[in-house]
């Protein structure tokens, strides 16, 4: 009866009644009541999450904890995720568990304390169990976090954090665990806060009072900084260390630690360690060897502030102690390898100032000569004159241009022979996508195997498509609709057609009427690409094709004329009706750039006597129309393009393909559309291979958003455009210009790749790109600071002549508005100094010479700003007579 009464009280949510019943029950009665409580828990899990179901949880939580006799089972019940938000109160749980043996309670305590912090167990429960059991205080992440929260909030009494730390017997143990735990610090650090009573000051105060051991605290702070970790955690331990205010003796004892931190730690921690060591060095408490070791690490870092500070320190020490020159000057020369030429020049000037103190011959001078080879070409000449080093004489100032290898055109392999192999390739494409070659190979394979043995193909594909979103959509066919709506979703519609998971009404409408959407800027390539997919899916359901005519020969989408004639010949033999979209796509892909080959193929095509043979022969022997006219247009800060009509893609082509040749005007196309998936864009390039400007013009607005609107991913198509065939005109160069100033690094890298590939193929018009960049910067569409980063990346690959050819056109437009007197006119645009630095480096390395408009105006400005220094450097490089 007691078990039934307990269950009734729990269902009613009467925790007090349930506790009273539990107090009067024996262990056997509790065990007997447990199955009913477990059944109730299962019932509540499936019940709606509402006030009625939640009523029983607190009483159920307490009753289940009391009725479990195994420590592991009791701990699992108490920490159950389903009862996390409606637990019994810690006081109730401690009451119902209070009559258990100490060892049992200790086991439960440590099992609960070992749970992840995310379990959300109340600290009052954990600490109460520790008191009940008399067990050692746990030092797990969950317990440590709970202890810090408890001390910080002061729920157990009044007083400051420092006062509570003094009174708590576990303070030393918990603080030590805080330093040792890799996770607890991140969970607790955000609570440290600011103000006079914050944790930093409280811990420093009790350390001074002896509540915490000072040496232990100092060592723990330094050890955590040496361990590294998230920047936010590092700030906590650094601030705590500064609050402890190390004495000079304590700083001196940890010289090796400060050196390691200055060389390897995060910038904020490294800066603190560097300042400590600088103070020691200036007081003569660092040996020359120790300072040289420190400098070798710091001068290798990329943070300019740290490098400048180290060079200043070395200069002070060298002035005070000339005897250290032989040890410290080679350390100074470590900065010769810095990317920033300003830092290189600072280091070289320091060497120039103190070189006379070195012996005429010896290891130090030899080492300086070795390191000077890392200087920029202009500074390398200065070093050669300074050192008179024969090794530097052998190093050419002018460097060869390095461009990437021209991408090879991949040839498509034949479609997989077995259905199992095809299924593997289709599965990979559906999950992660693939390039044009993989897509076209799989598409042709699906058509071939559906024609040969559809049942075998279904069996092979079934495990691959078991979890595709359209797989269970067969019930939709009764409505005449399907799961695909307006879009074929790439290869999905073809695979779904194999499984008859797309309705005939949907397929017939797509093939007969085409798309009913309003035109957007992507309509031309998108509709042509999708029309062929709809047609293939429709023919699989109605009149399967033996293979596809338009499967390209090459990965770029080009199709050899001989192959197309051979396929039409086989169609004629099999008496197969070609698909209109597939044949139209084949015509757009077939190569016509070799007149002799095209004429021979046309003769064989005409001999077939079929309408498609005559059409192909006419197409092969007709002269390709010139590229459509392109007009530049402005839209806000953007510069975009419009394209005229391409007459040859009209006439007998299906309606969905004629859009490719129709004029593209910005005012006549919707800006918003459904073509948000950038994965399809590589396939659009294969729709009209050899005419990449058509696609570049339609994608230009999308690409411009990476710079103007700071979107992400829009420039990913740029390398594909650069590798494609056809004229590289205004649209493509504008697209690269936008990509070079993109907000996100991955888009900038894509634009740099495109720039280098165009240069390697001889398709880059550097003057046009430089002019476009200047116009877009002037209009405010591009941020020069981002552009400078991309240009620097391109130059770092070794393409110095290419980058200089772009900058020599871009820079005059940025320099033209610069006044000679900094106080009386317009200042430089942000990032101009960085662009000038790259230009100077490229001019030195490529041997460029000649005047640059408006450069002297910048070089003659007063001061030593980066713009002025780099303008003078560029002017010197362009005027140098000892060019290679």
């Amino acid at each position: 009866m007691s078990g039934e009464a307990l269950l009734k009280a729990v269902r009613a949510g009467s925790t007090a009644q349930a506790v009273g019943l539990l107090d009067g029950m024996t262990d056997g009665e509790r065990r007997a009541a447990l199955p009913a409580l477990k059944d109730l828990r299962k019932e509540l899990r499936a019940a709606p999450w509402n006030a009625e179901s939640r009523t029983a949880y607190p009483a159920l939580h307490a009753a289940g904890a009391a009725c479990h006799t195994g420590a592991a089972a009791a701990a699992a019940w108490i920490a159950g995720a389903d009862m996390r938000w409606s637990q019994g109160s810690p006081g109730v749980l401690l009451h119902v568990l209070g009559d258990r043996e100490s060892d049992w309670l200790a086991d439960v305590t440590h099992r609960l304390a070992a749970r992840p912090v995310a379990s959300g167990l109340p600290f009052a429960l954990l600490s109460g169990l520790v008191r009940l059991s008399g067990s050692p205080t746990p030092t797990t992440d969950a317990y440590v976090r709970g202890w810090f929260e408890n001390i910080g909030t002061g729920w157990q009494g009044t007083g400051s954090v420092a006062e509570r730390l003094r009174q708590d017997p576990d303070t030393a143990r918990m603080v030590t665990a805080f330093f040792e735990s890799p996770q607890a610090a991140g969970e607790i650090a955000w609570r440290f806060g600011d103000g006079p009573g914050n944790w930093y000051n409280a811990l420093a105060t009790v350390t001074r009072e002896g509540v915490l051991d000072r040496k232990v605290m100092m060592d723990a702070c330094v050890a955590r900084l040496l361990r590294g970790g998230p920047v936010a955690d590092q700030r906590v331990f650094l601030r705590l260390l500064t609050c402890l205010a190390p004495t000079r003796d304590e700083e001196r004892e940890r010289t090796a630690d400060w050196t390691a931190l200055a060389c390897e730690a995060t910038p904020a921690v490294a800066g603190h360690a560097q300042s400590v060591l600088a103070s020691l060095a200036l007081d003569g408490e660092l040996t020359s060897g120790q300072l040289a070791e420190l400098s070798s690490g710091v001068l290798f870092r990329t943070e300019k502030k740290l490098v400048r500070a180290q060079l200043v320190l070395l200069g002070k020490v060298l002035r005070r102690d000339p005897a250290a020159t032989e040890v410290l000057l080679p350390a100074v020369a470590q900065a010769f390898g810095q990317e920033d030429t300003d830092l290189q020049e600072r280091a070289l000037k320091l060497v120039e100032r103190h070189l006379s103190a070195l012996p005429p011959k010896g290891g130090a001078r030899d080492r300086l000569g070795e390191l000077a080879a890392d200087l920029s070409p202009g500074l390398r000449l200065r070093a050669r004159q300074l050192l008179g080093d024969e090794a530097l004489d052998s190093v050419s100032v002018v460097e060869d241009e390095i461009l990437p290898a021209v991408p090879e055109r991949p040839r498509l392999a034949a479609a997989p022979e077995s259905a199992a192999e095809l299924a593997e390739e289709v599965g990979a494409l559906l999950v992660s996508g693939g390039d044009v070659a993989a897509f076209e190979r799989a598409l042709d394979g699906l058509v071939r195997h559906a024609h040969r043995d559809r049942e075998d193909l279904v069996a092979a594909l079934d495990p691959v498509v078991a979890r595709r979103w359209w797989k269970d959509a067969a019930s939709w066919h009764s409505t005449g609709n399907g799961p695909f709506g307006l879009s074929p979703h790439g290869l999905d519609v073809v695979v779904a057609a194999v499984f008859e998971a797309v309705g005939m009404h949907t397929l017939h409408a797509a093939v007969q009427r085409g798309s009913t959407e309003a035109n957007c800027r992507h309509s031309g390539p998108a509709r042509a690409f999708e029309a062929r997919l709809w047609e293939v899916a429709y023919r699989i359901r109605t009149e399967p094709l033996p293979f596809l005519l338009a499967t390209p020969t090459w990965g770029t989408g080009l199709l050899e004329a001989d192959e197309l004639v051979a396929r039409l010949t086989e169609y004629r033999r099999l008496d197969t009706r070609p698909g209109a979209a597939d044949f139209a796509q084949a015509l757009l892909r077939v190569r016509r750039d070799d007149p002799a080959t095209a004429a021979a193929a046309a003769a064989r095509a005409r001999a077939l006597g079929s309408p498609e043979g005559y059409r192909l022969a006419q197409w092969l022997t007709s002269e390709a129309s010139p590229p459509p006219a392109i007009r530049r247009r402005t839209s806000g800060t953007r510069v975009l393009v419009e394209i005229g009509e391409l007459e040859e893609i009209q006439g007998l082509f299906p309606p969905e393909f004629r859009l490719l040749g129709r004029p593209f005007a910005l005012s006549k196309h919707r800006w918003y559309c459904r073509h948000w998936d950038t994965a399809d864009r590589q396939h659009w390039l294969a729709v009209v291979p050899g005419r990449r400007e058509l696609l570049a013009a339609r994608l230009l607005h999308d690409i411009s958003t990476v710079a103007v609107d700071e979107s992400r991913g829009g420039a990913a198509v740029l390398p594909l455009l650069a590798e494609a065939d056809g004229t590289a005109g205004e649209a493509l160069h504008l697209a690269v210009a936008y990509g070079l100033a993109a907000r996100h690094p991955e888009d900038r890298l894509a634009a740099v790749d495109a720039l280098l590939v165009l240069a390697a193929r001889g398709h880059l018009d550097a003057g046009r790109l430089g002019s476009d960049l200047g116009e877009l910067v002037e209009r405010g569409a591009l941020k020069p600071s981002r552009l400078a980063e991309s240009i620097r990346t391109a130059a770092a690959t070794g393409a110095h002549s290419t980058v200089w050819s772009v900058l020599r056109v871009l820079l005059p437009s940025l320099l033209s508005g610069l006044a000679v007197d900094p106080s009386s006119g317009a200042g430089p645009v942000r990032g101009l100094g960085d662009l000038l630095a790259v230009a100077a480096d490229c001019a030195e390395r490529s041997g460029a010479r000649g005047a640059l408009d408006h450069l002297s105006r910048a070089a003659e400005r007063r001061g030593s700003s980066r713009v002025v220094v780099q303008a003078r450097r560029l002017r010197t490089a362009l005027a140098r007579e000892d060019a290679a």
Side-chain angles (χ1 to χ4, degrees), residues 98 125 171 251 261 294 314 332 361 367 492 540 833 881:
L125 173 62
T171 293
E251 290 176 340
L261 291 172
L294 166 68
L314 287 167
V332 171
K361 293 184 179 181
R367 182 58 178 156
D492 270 294
I540 285 176
E881 296 180 357

Side-chain angles (χ1 to χ4, degrees), residues 112-124:
L112 292 175
R115 291 271 176 169
V117 172
S119 296
L121 293 167
F123 178 73

Side-chain angles (χ1 to χ4, degrees), residues 6-7 10 15 18-19 22 30 33-34 37 57-68 77 92-93 96 100:
L6 175 63
L7 184 61
V10 168
T15 304
V19 170
L22 288 166
R30 291 185 180 185
L34 186 59
L37 295 175
Y57 268 116
L60 176 62
H61 190 229
C67 291
H68 277 91
W77 181 280
V92 170
L93 290 172
V96 299
R100 299 300 180 93

Side-chain angles (χ1 to χ4, degrees), residues 478-489:
S478 60
T479 66
N481 297 316
F484 288 89
L486 295 173
S487 172
H489 298 280

Side-chain angles (χ1 to χ4, degrees), residues 825-851:
V829 297
R830 185 177 180 182
L832 177 57
D834 293 331
L835 285 170
L836 285 169
V838 178
D841 192 60
C842 289
E844 291 172 348
R845 295 179 186 275
S846 65
R849 299 295 178 264

Side-chain angles (χ1 to χ4, degrees), residues 455-538:
E455 291 183 1
D456 183 44
L457 178 60
V458 168
L461 287 174
D462 193 57
V464 172
V465 302
R467 303 185 67 179
R468 294 303 289 177
W469 51 272
W470 47 261
K471 188 63 169 64
D472 296 324
S475 60
W476 299 3
H477 297 168
S478 60
T479 66
N481 297 316
F484 288 89
L486 295 173
S487 172
H489 298 280
L491 205 61
D492 270 294
V493 73
V494 179
V495 181
V498 172
F499 284 84
E500 299 186 0
V502 54
M504 284 301 300
H505 174 83
T506 301
L507 293 175
H508 186 268
V511 171
Q512 294 298 319
R513 296 198 306 268
S515 175
T516 58
E517 290 180 284
N519 286 346
C520 67
R521 58 184 179 275
H522 308 119
S523 294
R527 288 191 183 180
F529 172 67
E530 293 176 356
R532 181 164 170 252
L533 293 175
W534 284 119
E535 180 183 82
V536 168
Y538 178 73

Side-chain angles (χ1 to χ4, degrees), residues 642-793:
E642 296 180 337
I643 53 178
E645 186 175 51
L646 186 61
E647 294 181 0
E648 68 178 10
I649 310 182
Q650 298 297 319
L652 299 178
F653 278 90
E656 301 289 6
F657 283 78
R658 294 175 199 163
L659 288 173
L660 287 166
R662 290 179 183 166
F664 170 67
L666 301 177
S667 60
K668 295 182 179 180
H669 290 80
R670 295 187 307 134
W671 290 111
Y672 299 100
C673 63
R674 63 174 174 83
H675 305 109
W676 54 268
D677 187 0
T678 58
D680 284 349
R681 294 179 181 178
Q682 62 174 328
H683 302 299
W684 296 353
L685 274 167
V687 171
V688 278
R691 293 191 179 275
R692 59 183 166 188
E693 275 290 286
L694 286 178
L695 187 59
R698 293 176 180 272
L699 293 178
L700 185 57
H701 184 275
D702 301 86
I703 297 171
S704 72
T705 61
V706 302
V708 180
D709 302 325
E710 302 190 342
S711 64
R712 185 191 296 270
V717 73
L718 285 176
L720 300 176
L721 286 167
E723 294 173 9
D725 296 320
T727 303
E730 289 195 46
L732 182 52
H733 281 79
L734 277 170
V736 173
Y738 284 117
L740 290 173
R743 164 67 176 82
H744 298 284
E746 60 268 32
D747 287 312
R748 293 197 296 271
L749 286 175
V752 170
D753 286 345
L755 169 67
L756 297 176
V757 169
L758 288 172
R761 300 182 67 190
H763 295 174
L764 178 67
D765 186 337
R768 169 178 281 171
L769 179 59
S771 177
D772 287 342
L773 288 169
E775 181 180 357
L776 292 172
V777 169
E778 183 178 354
R779 294 182 63 85
L782 307 185
K783 293 186 177 180
S785 56
R786 296 175 185 165
L787 175 61
E789 186 174 341
S790 296
I791 292 294
R792 185 186 303 111
T793 301

